[in-house]
Amino acid sequence: MKFILKAIRTFFIFSILTVLTQVGGVIYLLYLPFSLFVKSEKYSFWKSIVMRSIGFSLIYILICLFIIPPFAKKNGRVPLPFFSTEETPIKSGSLLMSLMNRNYVKPLLQDAFFKTAKDVQKKYPNVELIYLDANFPFFDGFPLLPHLSHNDGEKLDIAFLYKNKKTDKFHDKTFSITGYGVCEEPRKGETNQPKDCEKKGNWQYSFLKKITFAKVKKGMEFDQSANRFLLQKIMENKSVKKVFIEPHLQKRLTLGKYKKIKFHGCHAVRHDDHIHFQL
Ligand SMILES: [Zn+2]
């Protein structure tokens, strides 16, 4: 009985880690023999749980930082850097999400992103583009939940640009832990796609907004000209084939003529909290 319970627990942890990080489940199985050194008879129950968690976290982080990237490169995907540099003015919106291996893209998409960031900096010095979810390092078709399409290294989400009303400085963080769920809502008279989609029964359309423990965008305003410029620069990349934003933002930013901007469909989630672009 004890063996069966242990097997169920191992399978449960393996599954959760695989869904969240793709490689975390395998790393957990590799770590299990080492965890036996921390015998629960020797320590109290909670002390052994804490020690095992710390041990696993250390091994997980080391493998994700140093072992996974070269293997992913052989698979045609590279990790986006966590922090910005002069050459690559982009950064992760959440270190936790990036440590979950959600920051991998094909080199072609990385190049387009870096070029966009450099172009934006020429007009808006000090602006660093913030990326959110990208893709996992391995296997086409492996879902990066809750996204429907981020499964091939060709998709990337980034944050909109916000400016501090008082200081005129661009905001350099996201408004929620994941970077999602804080929306630039439709104004009176604008197309209200989220409302339409929800009316049609697509309950998931605004789901991230409902579950996000978001900070209010206090004192920050959506910078229309900077976001328009950013979207134009994204679309200038020949390798970028599609961009998703909400219809009301496309209209507000007078980007109606751009054919690369598509409607993602009511089966997806709303795109007025981030920009999605893809090869
Ligand atoms: Zn996306």
Side-chain angles (χ1 to χ4, degrees):
M1 190 66 187
K2 209 176 168 189
F3 173 77
I4 293 171
L5 283 176
K6 260 191 178 176
I8 291 172
R9 189 185 68 183
T10 303
F11 180 73
F12 179 72
I13 296 174
F14 171 82
S15 306
I16 296 276
L17 288 171
T18 303
V19 167
L20 290 178
T21 70
Q22 193 180 54
V23 297
V26 174
I27 296 174
Y28 179 67
L29 294 184
L30 293 173
Y31 158 77
L32 271 184
F34 298 100
S35 78
L36 295 176
F37 288 114
V38 189
K39 284 191 178 147
S40 35
E41 304 93 65
K42 210 167 159 191
Y43 303 100
S44 70
F45 176 75
W46 288 112
K47 199 173 176 186
S48 75
I49 293 253
V50 169
M51 285 172 74
R52 283 177 195 205
S53 302
I54 291 172
F56 170 72
S57 301
L58 283 175
I59 289 172
Y60 172 85
I61 289 171
L62 287 175
I63 290 180
C64 286
L65 290 182
F66 300 108
I67 311 278
I68 301 299
F71 280 104
K73 204 172 180 186
K74 283 190 179 158
N75 186 48
R77 295 187 200 174
V78 289
L80 291 171
F82 291 2
F83 306 105
S84 69
T85 64
E86 212 170 290
E87 271 311 296
T88 57
I90 62 127
K91 63 181 179 184
S92 167
S94 160
L95 282 183
L96 179 68
M97 301 294 270
S98 295
L99 275 173
M100 289 160 85
N101 303 304
R102 301 168 78 94
N103 62 331
Y104 281 80
V105 289
K106 287 191 173 172
L108 200 58
L109 183 54
Q110 177 179 254
D111 291 347
F113 186 33
F114 286 168
K115 187 177 178 309
T116 303
K118 292 287 275 182
D119 286 347
V120 169
Q121 258 202 353
K122 277 180 204 151
K123 188 165 180 189
Y124 301 96
N126 306 322
V127 168
E128 292 165 346
L129 297 184
I130 300 173
Y131 69 85
L132 310 174
D133 275 342
N135 310 263
F136 280 137
F138 305 109
F139 310 120
D140 283 357
F142 193 104
L144 181 118
L145 296 176
H147 306 276
L148 296 174
S149 66
H150 289 231
N151 60 6
D152 54 7
E154 299 188 357
K155 319 284 164 37
L156 179 60
D157 290 346
I158 65 170
F160 282 114
L161 299 173
Y162 281 85
K163 210 178 206 179
N164 188 309
K165 284 185 214 169
K166 270 189 191 161
T167 63
D168 235 22
K169 271 190 178 167
F170 280 94
H171 193 50
D172 61 356
K173 291 179 190 70
T174 55
F175 295 107
S176 66
I177 298 166
T178 59
Y180 294 92
V182 180
C183 303
E184 197 55 33
E185 301 280 350
R187 293 175 186 159
K188 242 187 179 180
E190 287 183 334
T191 307
N192 195 327
Q193 194 65 55
K195 206 171 166 187
D196 284 358
C197 286
E198 277 172 43
K199 255 190 204 168
K200 286 177 192 162
N202 299 93
W203 60 270
Q204 88 299 335
Y205 202 71
S206 294
F207 182 65
L208 288 173
K209 182 184 161 188
K210 286 170 192 158
I211 60 154
T212 299
F213 300 104
K215 290 176 216 158
V216 187
K217 294 178 279 188
K218 213 176 172 187
M220 298 292 168
E221 74 179 341
F222 182 81
D223 192 295
Q224 280 192 213
S225 45
N227 281 306
R228 185 172 198 276
F229 186 76
L230 164 61
L231 280 153
Q232 282 175 321
K233 288 295 154 192
I234 291 172
M235 289 185 282
E236 272 177 20
N237 290 288
K238 282 205 175 81
S239 55
V240 172
K241 298 287 187 293
K242 270 188 205 171
V243 174
F244 295 154
I245 53 170
E246 282 301 303
H248 69 273
L249 290 182
Q250 182 179 8
K251 189 143 190 229
R252 195 188 297 171
L253 300 177
T254 59
L255 292 167
K257 64 172 182 176
Y258 288 87
K259 299 277 178 273
K260 285 187 181 179
I261 300 181
K262 312 272 186 207
F263 177 52
H264 37 276
C266 282
H267 60 287
V269 291
R270 61 194 289 171
H271 283 72
D272 53 359
D273 57 346
H274 70 280
I275 298 168
H276 166 109
F277 63 100
Q278 64 184 75
L279 296 180

